[in-house]
Amino acid sequence: MRRHVLRRLLQMIPVFLGSTFLIFFMVYALGDPVAALFGDRAPDPATAARIRAELHLDEPLWKQYLLYMGQIFRGDFGTAFNGDEVTALMALSFPVTLRLTLVAVFIELLVGISLGVLTGLRRGRALDSSVLLLTLVVVSVPTFVSGYVLQLLFGVEWGWVSPTVPPGAPLGELLLPGLVLALTSLAYTTRLTRTSIVENARADHVRTAVAKGLPRRRIITRHLLRTSLIPVVTFIGADIGALMGGAIVTERIFNIHGVGYQLYQGILRQNSPTVVGFVTILVLIFLLANLLVDLLYAVLDPRIRYA
Amino acid sequence: MRGPARVPRAACVALTVLAAPAAAGCGGGVEADGIAPGVVRSSWGDPPNPLEPANTNEVQGGKVLDMIFRGLKSYDPKTGEARNMLAERIDTDDQRHYTVTLKRGWTFSNGEPVTARSFVDAWNYAALLDNRQRNAYFFEYIQGYEKVHPDHGAPTARTLSGLSVEDDRTFTVTLRQRFSTWPETLGYNAYAPLPRAFFDDHRAWLDKPIGNGPYQVASYDRGWAMRLRTWRGYPGPDKARNNGVDLRVYTDGNTAYTDLQAGNLDLVDDVPAAQLKNVRSDLDGRYVNQPAGILQTLAFPFYDKDWTGPGAVKVRTGISMAIDREQITRRIFARTRTPATDWTSPVLGPDGGYRAGLCGPACRYDPARARRLIEEGGGLPGGRMTITYNADTGSHREWVDAVCHSVNNALRRDRACVGNPVGTFADFRNRMAAKAMKGPFRAGWQMDYPLIQNFLQPLYYTDASSNDGHWSDREFDRLIDRANAESDPVLAVREFQRAEEVVRDQMAAIPLWYQNGSAGYSSRLRDVALNQFSVPVYHQIRVG
């Protein structure tokens, strides 16, 4: 087991280096960000040169990358153009997005798995068909449509919640955006759980459990669900990273100033330190989530542990 | 007014544990959604630069500086006239040597008196290259600028030789050249005075700026909100009529508008184009739509010989005549733009240099003449043209497509003109700096101060800071120099208008439309108005 973890951790290093280099290359290849700092005016050459030198923009790209990585390992992510430390921006925005993501995952787990189990056990009945149809609709509606519609209905028409999230993003205000963020994944989770349950309901060990006369509840939770959840856990694990990165749309609709907001601003202003820094952290989160998924496999299915 | 739903305390505690680092989320110290009495809740955009007077060159940061600073002059929110604020008088005999005398009794909100030194130190800081201030060039008229801010290499002086403190209330300024309207420019934020705290602990000052205006910063949550509260000790004549202003950051104008409709926000100072059709009925008349000192133009790449040849003037004029400004401003902008007939803005007024119709027939829609002129000029270079614009902000795509449509109709060719979107403003500026534009491109000008000089010199003078098309004309430069040296303001304006006629005859840029400021507000507010910079006049707003 320990070797398994160690191997996975070592594998993360080249992935991390490769992906950060790619991001770095892409953001910096976009060109010189200094021109935009001066608004509708041509930058005064002397000031622009000073800013460029300060940001090492006058060095060759490979050198910039080395300098940047050196900085990162010392915990310094550089300074955004408005003078804020990128790490300070991270401290402000990652908790917000993390909370939003956790709300989304929580909804996804709760609603998705329950619906999946219910429909899987009642395959072909009215409930199953209607939920299947519903998930199809949810998957085909883009997030920004569902976001604006729900915001209009709950926030403006009925006034149940505030249409935007106030500063500090308290958890209660994140329920609606969390739901919007979760919707698509929720549909996938439902379908995945359903298929998995249907498949495993015919498996040998479940049949044996039924033959032994175990209570139905115990068969479902201990025997059926445990094996059925493996693909679902894989999906949700990989989804955490995707949700955090994909929160750009949701955060924009509900005016939540988390990672998505910072990335959006960063890209708009070609603010390389912010973009590269934030994406680097997102890559790390993605890798760690995947590692966690692998470890969970081993817990759910002992056979994997020895493979 | 509907309050947002609240989460039970217990759920809050449980979930806080779940997301450990996010403890601030549940009923955190800030007045998260409570409405402070007498406070205006207004939309805001995150300023891209640090909030220093000489480092802020856009509207969002400028909005804050307007509230927390007062300079030597201030512009009347209605007429745009530059009036003495901290200055008791600004004297000169030769339009080059100025003596500034300050009024008594002004202090910063931390109690420090505003003296001549507060200005001289601030201006020296702004001009010095080492401080990398984006508005440094505002000080280029002052003697000694080339020493503190050389084009290459390190500065050879730390302070401007043209500035000198005489006593607590007096300082003198020597300019490099004669500049008769220079005192009128001093209402611009870059010229604000700075307290010692700015120099002593710069980091702390940036976290919570201290100024001398009617408001002071109560708190600043980066990227989220800034809370400004009325400074009770403010000595000026324009005291705030409300208890403060909460500025909340929005990335999306539509979201801010939604919040206004839901009673979550009081003031939106930029109604998104998509909402303009319904705004009057949505807000029951609580909508302001008034001219601002903003002109949209199409600029040309004069570094490209395709656009400078002998027939090019006719081609440029022809393109101008092929644009149906009337219809575009009505259909796309719901009359929040006015077809332009000169190169300045109506907010200047006739005395300030605005002359309606100066452009003449060249700005009137006349497809037949447009076609003839373009043919006489040798046709569009290569038979077609593109209009480059940045697609990330504003509603540029819509109007560029409409302009091209109009040109195509006039030329009776489908693909004569096409839009050329560039992903981000940053990239757009890069291409401009690299002189990489292949055809006409979007140019917009928001005035720094309400003077005709500001609409001409930075945009068309040889190698001027915003002369993105790199147009150059000796006659124009000569007339601008003469206007600046003219001591009589009436005669100066006349010289500037003569220079503007050169711009017209050469069609150095095609004027499209004057832009209005538009704002919507909630029923809590009264006396909402915009100034000529399309920024709300916050201190005049009454709440309740």
Side-chain angles (χ1 to χ4, degrees):
Chain A
M1 184 69 187
R2 200 188 294 163
R3 276 187 61 192
H4 181 64
V5 176
L6 199 69
R7 207 167 55 207
R8 287 302 314 261
L9 279 174
L10 285 176
Q11 278 170 2
M12 278 166 68
I13 295 172
V15 176
F16 177 73
L17 289 178
S19 51
T20 46
F21 182 74
L22 273 180
I23 300 152
F24 194 85
F25 185 78
M26 286 190 286
V27 172
Y28 281 77
L30 282 174
D32 181 5
V34 176
L37 289 180
F38 290 79
D40 272 321
R41 266 172 213 278
D44 129 52
T47 312
R50 280 294 170 101
I51 296 175
R52 256 180 225 126
E54 186 194 27
L55 299 172
H56 303 294
L57 289 171
D58 46 355
E59 310 264 12
L61 192 68
W62 62 270
K63 207 169 169 190
Q64 287 185 40
Y65 178 70
L66 286 186
L67 278 168
Y68 185 75
M69 288 313 273
Q71 266 186 8
I72 282 191
F73 282 115
R74 288 197 305 271
D76 176 9
F77 280 83
T79 315
F81 294 154
N82 63 357
D84 291 341
E85 301 269 323
V86 174
T87 40
L89 294 179
M90 287 174 178
L92 279 176
S93 52
F94 266 99
V96 172
T97 301
L98 198 67
R99 251 178 299 163
L100 177 65
T101 312
L102 286 177
V103 170
V105 168
F106 187 70
I107 294 174
E108 200 178 321
L109 279 173
L110 200 77
V111 183
I113 294 183
S114 332
L115 278 181
V117 170
L118 278 179
T119 52
L121 293 175
R122 289 178 178 69
R123 193 158 70 103
R125 306 232 196 118
L127 178 78
D128 184 29
S129 323
S130 46
V131 168
L132 272 184
L133 194 74
L134 206 71
T135 53
L136 195 69
V137 172
V138 166
V139 170
S140 54
V141 173
T143 308
F144 72 88
V145 174
S146 54
Y148 278 123
V149 168
L150 292 182
Q151 179 187 46
L152 188 73
L153 289 180
F154 287 96
V156 183
E157 295 294 322
W158 303 330
W160 292 354
V161 293
S162 148
T164 60
V165 175
L171 258 179
E173 304 279 353
L174 291 177
L175 289 178
L176 183 62
L179 176 69
V180 170
L181 182 60
L183 270 182
T184 323
S185 309
L186 194 154
Y188 283 120
T189 312
T190 307
R191 294 194 144 209
L192 217 67
T193 315
R194 176 184 171 275
T195 319
S196 197
I197 291 271
V198 167
E199 236 166 59
N200 283 310
R202 285 182 303 227
D204 292 345
H205 70 276
V206 177
R207 232 182 321 162
T208 313
V210 175
K212 276 200 295 188
L214 288 177
R216 186 174 155 81
R217 197 187 163 74
R218 193 172 159 80
I219 296 172
I220 294 174
T221 51
R222 301 291 299 182
H223 297 259
L224 183 55
L225 211 52
R226 191 161 164 174
T227 39
S228 303
L229 279 187
I230 292 179
V232 181
V233 166
T234 321
F235 174 73
I236 291 180
D239 204 35
I240 292 180
L243 282 178
M244 286 194 86
I248 294 188
V249 179
T250 316
E251 290 191 354
R252 194 176 151 97
I253 296 172
F254 293 96
N255 203 38
I256 302 168
H257 297 179
V259 173
Y261 164 77
Q262 297 289 355
L263 268 176
Y264 177 76
Q265 293 282 71
I267 292 168
L268 215 60
R269 292 173 182 168
Q270 216 167 316
N271 201 338
S272 333
T274 320
V275 177
V276 180
F278 272 78
V279 176
T280 304
I281 298 289
L282 281 179
V283 166
L284 274 178
I285 290 176
F286 208 85
L287 289 173
L288 285 175
N290 271 314
L291 177 69
L292 218 72
V293 169
D294 277 8
L295 297 184
L296 262 181
Y297 272 175
V299 175
L300 286 173
D301 189 348
R303 283 172 301 178
I304 296 173
R305 210 177 300 171
Y306 306 117
Chain B
M1 190 121 328
R2 290 180 287 236
R6 289 208 155 272
V7 189
R9 190 80 204 159
C12 213
V13 171
L15 286 167
T16 307
V17 176
L18 187 73
C26 281
V30 291
E31 346 156 9
D33 42 15
I35 302 172
V39 170
V40 181
R41 297 165 304 168
S42 175
S43 70
W44 193 35
D46 195 25
N49 302 325
L51 275 176
E52 300 164 285
N55 218 355
T56 299
N57 52 5
E58 40 70 56
V59 180
Q60 302 304 338
K63 215 184 261 183
V64 176
L65 297 180
D66 275 348
M67 285 190 258
I68 62 171
F69 277 108
R70 284 296 177 265
L72 291 171
K73 295 251 182 189
S74 82
Y75 301 114
D76 184 282
K78 276 214 176 70
T79 62
E81 186 198 347
R83 289 190 304 210
N84 282 344
M85 185 51 93
L86 266 72
E88 193 171 282
R89 37 176 217 282
I90 301 174
D91 302 317
T92 183
D93 296 327
D94 59 356
Q95 286 76 54
R96 244 195 92 196
H97 296 83
Y98 289 90
T99 307
V100 181
T101 313
L102 301 179
K103 283 182 189 156
R104 288 173 207 277
W106 280 82
T107 60
F108 292 99
S109 60
N110 64 356
E112 185 192 324
V114 183
T115 64
R117 208 177 143 216
S118 316
F119 282 96
V120 171
D121 286 351
W123 295 7
N124 278 326
Y125 179 88
L128 185 61
L129 177 57
D130 296 348
N131 297 324
R132 301 180 302 270
Q133 301 286 295
R134 287 152 181 89
N135 287 335
Y137 61 87
F138 272 90
F139 301 87
E140 69 188 357
Y141 302 107
I142 299 174
Q143 197 154 57
Y145 180 79
E146 68 285 350
K147 290 223 170 82
V148 297
H149 200 111
D151 286 343
H152 306 283
T156 51
R158 309 285 298 171
T159 55
L160 290 159
S161 59
L163 290 179
S164 125
V165 177
E166 301 299 314
D167 59 54
D168 264 5
R169 286 176 49 219
T170 322
F171 66 101
T172 59
V173 185
T174 308
L175 302 184
R176 295 206 282 186
Q177 61 187 63
R178 300 216 281 171
F179 187 176
S180 56
T181 47
W182 180 75
E184 329 277 279
T185 69
L186 297 176
Y188 189 67
N189 285 325
Y191 297 106
L194 286 169
R196 289 311 307 164
F198 178 88
F199 305 98
D200 295 341
D201 190 348
H202 193 230
R203 193 70 244 177
W205 192 91
L206 284 181
D207 285 340
K208 205 171 168 182
I210 299 164
N212 65 331
Y215 293 96
Q216 49 186 339
V217 178
S219 68
Y220 184 13
D221 296 332
R222 291 291 164 125
W224 278 103
M226 178 180 268
R227 289 183 182 75
L228 295 136
R229 291 295 172 264
T230 302
W231 174 30
R232 300 290 165 203
Y234 176 65
D238 49 349
K239 292 191 194 340
R241 294 176 186 169
N242 47 53
N243 291 334
V245 178
D246 282 354
L247 296 174
R248 274 186 65 183
V249 174
Y250 288 86
T251 20
D252 189 339
N254 286 303
T255 313
Y257 189 77
T258 306
D259 250 0
L260 176 68
Q261 283 181 299
N264 228 2
L265 192 72
D266 294 321
L267 179 59
V268 170
D269 64 354
D270 186 18
V271 178
Q275 310 284 0
L276 287 174
K277 263 181 262 139
N278 329 321
V279 67
R280 277 169 221 277
S281 54
D282 278 357
L283 295 177
D284 197 18
R286 294 185 308 274
Y287 170 60
V288 184
N289 175 19
Q290 66 183 58
I294 307 173
L295 175 71
Q296 299 283 343
T297 60
L298 282 185
F300 292 93
F302 288 100
Y303 40 79
D304 184 338
K305 64 176 179 357
D306 280 348
W307 291 99
T308 53
V313 180
K314 281 187 177 169
V315 175
R316 293 197 295 268
T317 313
I319 295 171
S320 172
M321 295 170 91
I323 299 169
D324 191 349
R325 296 171 176 78
E326 186 57 45
Q327 198 178 49
I328 295 171
T329 50
R330 197 177 58 233
R331 291 264 182 89
I332 293 179
F333 295 117
R335 294 193 194 284
T336 55
R337 310 279 193 279
T338 311
T341 59
D342 83 336
W343 281 260
T344 66
S345 162
V347 302
L348 295 180
D351 294 341
Y354 167 66
R355 181 143 36 111
L358 180 103
C359 183
C363 291
R364 245 171 266 143
Y365 179 57
D366 188 345
R369 259 188 86 187
R371 195 165 54 243
R372 213 162 48 236
L373 263 176
I374 292 176
E375 269 162 30
E376 279 172 29
L380 296 176
R384 56 198 298 267
M385 67 181 220
T386 56
I387 299 179
T388 306
Y389 62 96
N390 57 310
D392 55 349
T393 52
S395 329
H396 299 315
R397 176 184 291 277
E398 284 97 329
W399 71 256
V400 169
D401 287 349
V403 165
C404 270
H405 186 69
S406 186
V407 171
N408 289 342
N409 275 348
L411 295 181
R412 295 195 189 134
R413 273 194 295 135
D414 257 5
R415 307 275 299 164
C417 172
V418 286
N420 174 30
V422 173
T424 61
F425 181 66
D427 196 13
F428 184 62
R429 289 301 314 180
N430 272 331
R431 289 176 195 220
M432 226 176 264
K435 297 190 180 181
M437 294 294 178
K438 294 275 172 258
F441 53 93
R442 170 189 94 77
W445 182 250
Q446 169 143 28
M447 66 180 186
D448 301 312
Y449 31 79
L451 286 180
I452 183 173
Q453 180 266 353
N454 192 239
F455 280 92
L456 298 174
Q457 189 165 1
L459 290 155
Y460 309 110
Y461 199 84
T462 302
D463 290 330
S465 59
S466 292
N467 189 348
D468 292 320
H470 296 271
W471 184 70
S472 174
D473 185 281
R474 218 177 279 158
E475 175 67 6
F476 175 85
D477 291 358
R478 194 180 62 83
L479 287 166
I480 291 287
D481 289 339
R482 258 177 49 184
N484 276 327
E486 181 58 66
S487 58
D488 179 352
V490 178
L491 293 177
V493 164
R494 205 166 294 160
E495 292 291 334
F496 279 121
Q497 283 176 332
R498 257 194 225 154
E500 192 186 340
E501 284 165 10
V502 178
V503 171
R504 172 192 63 193
D505 297 338
Q506 296 290 317
M507 198 50 85
I510 295 178
L512 294 172
W513 32 77
Y514 311 116
Q515 187 168 325
N516 286 10
S518 63
Y521 54 98
S522 74
S523 53
R524 284 180 78 215
L525 305 190
R526 283 179 299 135
D527 297 342
V528 177
L530 300 173
N531 62 17
Q532 286 90 0
F533 305 92
S534 79
V535 172
V537 188
Y538 284 105
H539 67 265
Q540 289 183 350
I541 296 175
R542 290 178 198 271
V543 184

